Amino acid sequence: MLFQVRMDVNIPADMPSDVANDIKAREKAYSQDLQKSGKWRHIWRVVGEYANYSIFDVESNAELHEILTGLPLFPYMKISVTPLCRHPSSVRDSDA
């Protein structure tokens, strides 16, 4: 199942920088492991914002929920999810 996920991050301004840096380092490692596994297929930064659009390829809604709630930055995110399916006019078999 493919999902487009927008993540907007809002780290509190009063969070100590060492705490924020630790959370961001754990977030990077977690997301890169998911990318290497193929579950997190794409990630794009939104220019001028602390936000991204990502494509996830997971087995179920529950698996996506587990992945997203496991993000170290999850408590500081607004997340919106859009389910996707292959477009019949696509010329790429890998879009499934």
Side-chain angles (χ1 to χ4, degrees):
M1 299 178 75
L2 295 176
F3 295 91
Q4 173 194 303
V5 179
R6 178 173 171 131
M7 297 176 230
D8 293 89
V9 181
N10 186 16
I11 296 175
D14 62 348
M15 180 181 285
S17 61
D18 59 327
V19 174
N21 290 337
D22 176 65
I23 294 169
K24 289 187 259 185
R26 289 186 290 117
E27 179 87 6
K28 183 176 182 177
Y30 181 77
S31 71
Q32 288 181 342
D33 285 346
L34 287 164
Q35 290 173 65
K36 290 173 187 169
S37 78
K39 301 247 179 230
W40 196 324
R41 285 179 55 176
H42 302 281
I43 183 170
W44 294 277
R45 176 179 288 163
V46 178
V47 176
E49 299 180 36
Y50 196 169
N52 74 75
Y53 280 103
S54 294
I55 303 296
F56 287 85
D57 188 357
V58 294
E59 294 297 319
S60 66
N61 295 339
E63 182 182 16
L64 180 62
H65 181 77
E66 184 177 321
I67 287 170
L68 295 176
T69 58
L71 290 164
L73 283 170
F74 178 77
Y76 312 104
M77 288 183 174
K78 177 185 172 207
I79 296 175
S80 57
V81 176
T82 304
L84 302 172
C85 64
R86 187 175 190 281
H87 194 285
S89 296
S90 177
V91 298
R92 293 185 175 79
D93 292 332
S94 63
D95 288 345

